[in-house]
Amino acid sequence: MRFRHPDGSIIHLSYCTNVHPAETLDGVRAQLRDHCEPVRRRLGRDRLGIGLWLARDAARALINDPAELRALRAELDGRGLEVVTLNGFPYEGFGADEVKYRVYRPDWTEPDRLAHTTDLARLLAALLPDDVTEGTVSTLPLAWRTPYDTEPAAARTARTALTTLAQRLDALAELTGKSIRIGLEPEPGCTVETTADAIAPLTDVGHERIGVCVDTCHLATSFEDPDTALDALTAAGIPVVKSQLSAALHAEHPHLPEVRTALAAFAEPRFLHQTRTRTAAGLRGTDDLDEAVAGGALPDSTPWRAHFHVPLHAPPAPPLTSTLPVLRATLARLVGGAVPLTRHLEVETYTWQALPAELRPRTRTQLADGIAAELTLARDLLVDLGLKELP
């Protein structure tokens, strides 16, 4: 979906296909047929943006066979789908029964991460619509904090990899005329947990094609203030290359037994749900929600937030809620001003099938309805900010 900002620039809104995990190229094609095109039809749109997730095997198949890449581009066009952004954070196995810590490997100290991200940039340059010259890829925020933070050479190795990537992106732009930018996506528990953590390493890299992907669930989970976060990035000259629109789980009164019971329903075995609370002494947290719910690991006199991407349009029932207000405030700063801070927005609720059983969609139709409802909410927020929806 495309929108015209009052300054004349085009803002792209998509939804991320990591909600339909597939490891192979055949699986990606099935996503387009079974999920993405039905969502577009529900929205009554001739064109729908998707933030494509390409696992390692699917990406390599496209890199190794230009005919397959041309065929994928033709299929996207035929189904009324367009791609301006990729989710390059998960490398493989995102549809596994247990993902947890595995999603953070390989990290930016490992050659495979650089190779995969280079592949994604090359693929995106070929998949961009003819009238679009800029693409974006979100990626791992360097590494999970351990053992990275205790290894003296880790930061130097990651910086070298990102510098090499920037050089490759420059060469790609010269070759294709397409500018691909990469955004580190701060996430709780990683060495770059917050937008503030991103400033130093990105300043060291010092390249306009390497910036930040602001995920509004992660921002909220770490209790970052949107204005403070975005002001600091702007002051440091760090670009927001894209933003993922998502909402975290919020518990205002975690000391109450009924709140603990409600939270426990969201503790599940597939994904990590890092949980945080803000105290007078600073941010406190656990790596997963079940550790927090069990008691003793976190103070419970202040609100808790958990890294669980809840559907934008359907916050959990009381006594829980979502951090949709943080999303609204962030979006207002990103695209509500005289000049947009980013032009790529991506709804990323990948946890539909991790919701408590009674809230999960049971059919493809129900899932498509839910994704369409999320995109409708995002569209309405953009229109309310003065953007004009384009055909």
Side-chain angles (χ1 to χ4, degrees), residues 3-11 332 334-340 382-390:
F3 299 81
R4 189 177 302 282
H5 189 274
D7 79 339
S9 60
I10 302 300
I11 306 297
L334 288 172
V335 300
V339 177
L382 292 174
V383 171
D384 289 347
L385 290 170
L387 280 67
K388 179 181 179 182
E389 187 177 6
L390 300 176

Side-chain angles (χ1 to χ4, degrees), residues 161-383:
L162 289 173
T163 300
T164 300
L165 176 66
Q167 294 166 350
R168 293 177 180 178
L169 296 176
D170 285 343
L172 183 65
E174 186 172 348
L175 179 67
T176 66
K178 306 289 188 177
S179 175
I180 307 300
R181 298 194 296 166
I182 308 297
L184 301 186
E185 181 185 332
E187 174 163 315
C190 292
T191 190
V192 174
E193 170 153 342
T194 66
T195 56
D197 294 334
I199 292 174
L202 290 177
T203 300
D204 284 346
V205 173
H207 198 285
E208 63 182 0
R209 299 193 200 279
I210 311 289
V212 166
C213 168
V214 174
D215 183 303
T216 58
C217 169
H218 304 172
L219 190 84
T221 301
S222 294
F223 287 87
E224 288 197 81
D225 173 70
D227 288 331
T228 302
L230 295 173
D231 285 347
L233 291 174
T234 299
I238 305 296
V240 180
V241 304
K242 68 183 277 190
S243 178
Q244 289 173 324
L245 307 183
S246 53
L249 194 61
H250 180 94
E252 186 69 18
H253 302 292
H255 65 285
L256 296 175
E258 60 268 29
V259 175
R260 293 290 184 95
T261 299
L263 283 171
F266 285 84
E268 52 84 37
R270 186 171 173 188
F271 300 111
L272 274 188
H273 300 296
Q274 302 93 315
T275 304
R276 299 289 185 266
T277 188
R278 183 172 54 187
T279 72
L283 205 63
R284 294 279 301 279
T286 60
D287 282 358
D288 217 342
L289 181 56
D290 55 358
E291 301 170 48
V293 169
L298 281 185
D300 60 8
S301 58
T302 50
W304 288 1
R305 289 177 178 173
H307 172 217
F308 194 118
H309 291 222
V310 296
L312 303 187
H313 68 293
L320 304 178
T321 187
S322 81
T323 60
L324 185 61
V326 176
L327 185 158
R328 291 176 182 268
T330 307
L331 193 60
R333 278 299 310 275
L334 288 172
V335 300
V339 177
L341 299 183
T342 190
R343 291 182 293 277
H344 290 180
L345 305 170
E346 178 184 65
V347 171
E348 196 215 11
T349 305
Y350 60 83
T351 42
W352 283 93
Q353 298 303 335
L355 289 165
E358 67 277 10
L359 301 178
R360 295 173 195 166
R362 290 181 168 80
T363 64
R364 289 179 185 169
T365 296
Q366 289 178 349
L367 178 58
D369 287 344
I371 293 169
E374 289 194 293
L375 285 166
T376 297
L377 183 148
R379 178 192 65 192
D380 291 347
L381 292 178
L382 292 174
V383 171

